[in-house]
Amino acid sequence: MAFIRTSRRVAHLALVASLTMLAPAALAQEDAREGDPETTASDLDDRISFDVTLDSERGGGRLTGSAGDFEYEDGSYLLATGGVRLQYRDVKLSADRVRVDVPTNRIEAQGEVILDEGPRRLAGEVLEYDLDTRTGRITRASAYVDPDFYFFGETIAKTGPITYTVEDGTFTACESENPAWSIDLKRASITLEEYARIRGATLKFGRVPALYVPYLLWPATTERSSGWLVPKPGYSSREGAQLSLAYYRTFGRSADATIYADLSSEEYNGIGAEYRYRPSADTEGVIEAYYLFEPEDGFEDNEIFDPDRERGDDRWKLALYHDSRNLFGGDWRGVVNLNFYSDFDYLKDVERRVNRQTQPFFYSNAYLSTSQGPHSLTFMVDQRERIVRSTQARDTRRQLPEIDYRLRPVQILDLPVYFQMRSSVNYFDLEVEPPVGDDGVRPESSSDSYGRADLAPTLSISLPGTSWLNAKIDLGGRVTHYTDSLDEARTGFSGDSLTRAFPSAAFEVVGPSISRIYDTGGERWSKFKHIVEPRLNYRYVDEFDDQDQVLRFDEVDLLRPVNVAVVSVVNRLLAKPAGEDASAFEIASFEVAQGYNLDDQPGQSSFDGTMETSEGPIFSTLRVNPDRDTSLKLDAQYNTLFNRLTAVGLSGGTDIGRHNVGLTWFTRWNAETGDETQDTVRLFTRFELWRDRLSFDAEVDYNLID
């Protein structure tokens, strides 16, 4: 059975915490698709949901899920492709392609496979799994077992409820790409709550091998216990020799803490603590604190960005993350995320997480959210603090609060018409704090506040079509009211309210699609399927005359007028390797596309503007995948105004066993003169010289023109 479902800063943050610690909640977007924040409501329209009842003699139960496409033969098999998501009791599976053998309840999955069994996770490339026995095997795999066991391997087999085997892999208790300690292994048999029996074990600190033993018995209990953790040595040119010491302390079953000290030969010494709590299944949180004793000449090779900081000042951070779910007896979720730092240079100087090192601002927020059917509602307060590089002023922006309501697509009556809407009401508070002057006095800070109300409805109409032709129209717009606006010079507030309104529309036609299957019965490929699919996409967003007077706080305030149609034709070639268990995959595709500006803006023009056309350049892409380990892509761009190529790019790579080699080449020409402006080539490779112990990585970039 299948069916389609179609000071002042601290005071403000204290208010954020008090509001949401009483009643915290989830972001509205999370309900669109769990674990995939990039999914939009329009994406869900194109997915197919299914519900299959399994044989009662083999455990029975319902197998539910969604995919981009699927085939189902009652009592025989289910084949799903395109971002597949399955759930069977407490088992959740996501992959690119999944085949379920209904009589035996066995699953075969391929491509970015993730299998969750409660708190235990297996991930890899190819999975074979038995739903009855909960056993299986996964290749190029990683596994996580609650609370803190991670193992990786060429092959991981789950042989029982709490037993695993690992081939050619790694075992660790650290959640990191470069764990503080790990054990490389040839083979391991792991029994949870007992031991990991490891053969061919190499104990490593970081990436440095420290000890090899032919056989090692390692405790694998999931019960937490207090004690000293493995010391982590290190070295850097700035901090010299380093040693990190940590002590782990449990506080019953619902809380624990790690207290650590970082020692450095160059006197970069720090102390910190991380306290974790989970009093119930629906509530958890983390409190982090760190204090660094910086030497007088500390970080002298780094530029001082924060004007209020002097070199040699001690540094600190304090962070809180709290998450509560199922509040008020329903589907409410609340989150508090507070981050305080001693100075803006802390992120690039001291912070160890890459995503925080590159963050150009401090951000704290708290929200309370719920989702009921197609409706979602979020209350949020937040603060974003940064330093303006050009003026060295401290800029703080707050939402106190934001109320966001969204309606995901709902069908109107039984018609092929769907309505969706996004709306929000905001109160913004802006504060600019100038840096201390040469006289040692800080000028008086300035602050302003204003409100905004926004409404963006969309009506989607699916036109009558067939399996080879589909069309959809989107009609919408946006109305935004501001209680204040910028003056003509854009240097301050005018005191005048502003209402912005503009319509938008989109139109998409896919088809008529033509396909043909060739049953060759060859030794390598048994079948081919050729698909020709033309597409027409049109998008229109109207202009707004007073856009320069709109205050820009987030993406709602941005407006990019557009009136463009894009025509494309896609050729796809799918092949099924010989063999009953082999699955088909795309071995080649070729796409040609061209856009057309339908307003006064040129799609292409000369530098002086004397020549122009509404046509955009022609883009083409050829992809070839002769096997699952090799890919090749060729891109080209052709300027129709001057009748010459303006860009060509070639990229490709292949896996050779455990080795990899790849090449990219890109050339660009001036469309008007034909002069070559860029011609670069890059070669990259990775060779494993000593399996799992020593590898050679190289990358060569070369500019072919001066």
Side-chain angles (χ1 to χ4, degrees), residues 28-40:
Q29 300 97 312
E30 286 193 10
D31 189 69
R33 184 187 299 167
E34 181 183 354
D36 188 356
E38 299 298 326
T39 301
T40 63

Side-chain angles (χ1 to χ4, degrees), residues 39-294:
T39 301
T40 63
S42 60
D43 294 329
L44 295 178
D45 275 351
D46 299 329
R47 296 180 59 77
I48 301 174
S49 298
F50 47 81
D51 188 332
V52 176
T53 301
L54 298 181
D55 189 350
S56 59
E57 295 183 0
R58 296 189 57 84
R62 295 169 55 216
L63 183 71
T64 61
S66 62
D69 193 10
F70 85 108
E71 301 175 10
Y72 176 58
E73 183 174 329
D74 190 15
S76 179
Y77 72 90
L78 168 69
L79 178 62
T81 57
V84 185
R85 291 176 178 270
L86 296 182
Q87 180 163 357
Y88 176 75
R89 296 175 181 168
D90 66 331
V91 176
K92 295 181 180 180
L93 173 67
S94 64
D96 295 336
R97 178 187 183 276
V98 175
R99 187 182 191 279
V100 181
D101 187 72
V102 176
T104 63
N105 287 0
R106 291 187 62 84
I107 290 179
E108 298 176 2
Q110 298 173 346
E112 298 185 10
V113 180
I114 298 177
L115 175 74
D116 288 321
E117 291 180 329
R120 300 170 185 174
R121 166 168 287 191
L122 287 172
E125 293 188 0
V126 180
L127 170 72
E128 298 174 357
Y129 186 76
D130 191 310
L131 288 173
D132 294 336
T133 62
R134 302 294 181 92
T135 59
R137 179 182 297 270
I138 189 166
T139 61
R140 295 187 181 178
S142 63
Y144 166 74
V145 178
D146 186 59
D148 285 312
F149 284 121
Y150 303 87
F151 35 100
F152 313 88
E154 186 65 24
T155 301
I156 295 178
K158 185 174 183 289
T159 57
I162 58 172
T163 57
Y164 298 82
T165 63
V166 183
E167 303 281 352
D168 296 324
T170 301
F171 175 76
T172 183
C174 302
E175 184 182 7
S176 171
E177 293 183 1
N178 182 25
W181 68 270
S182 61
I183 299 174
D184 284 356
L185 55 91
K186 297 299 293 180
R187 178 178 173 83
S189 299
I190 302 170
T191 303
L192 301 181
E193 308 301 342
E194 294 184 11
Y195 295 96
R197 293 169 172 83
I198 303 172
R199 292 171 174 80
T202 301
L203 179 63
K204 296 169 61 177
F205 292 103
R207 300 182 185 275
V208 180
L211 176 67
Y212 173 81
V213 292
Y215 180 82
L216 179 65
L217 192 65
W218 190 273
T221 176
T222 58
E223 289 295 327
R224 301 168 303 128
S225 58
S226 301
W228 289 96
L229 302 181
V230 178
K232 180 181 179 182
Y235 179 83
S236 73
S237 58
R238 180 174 62 194
E239 300 180 24
Q242 302 166 313
L243 181 64
S244 294
L245 305 174
Y247 180 78
Y248 178 74
R249 174 68 179 176
T250 63
F251 301 97
R253 296 180 59 85
S254 60
D256 57 40
T258 304
I259 304 170
Y260 50 94
D262 296 330
L263 307 177
S264 163
S265 62
E266 298 297 326
E267 300 183 355
Y268 289 90
N269 301 319
I271 57 174
E274 182 176 311
Y275 176 74
R276 298 164 291 271
Y277 59 91
R278 190 171 186 179
S280 68
D282 295 326
T283 300
E284 61 184 317
V286 179
I287 301 175
E288 295 180 76
Y290 190 76
Y291 194 93
L292 176 69
F293 301 91
E294 182 177 313

Side-chain angles (χ1 to χ4, degrees), residues 650 662-666 678-685 697-705:
L650 175 67
L663 173 74
T664 64
W665 167 68
F666 185 79
Q678 183 179 354
D679 193 3
T680 58
V681 63
R682 172 183 297 174
L683 174 67
F684 53 92
T685 185
D697 295 78
E699 179 178 308
V700 178
D701 297 82
Y702 189 75
N703 191 357
L704 300 176
I705 61 175

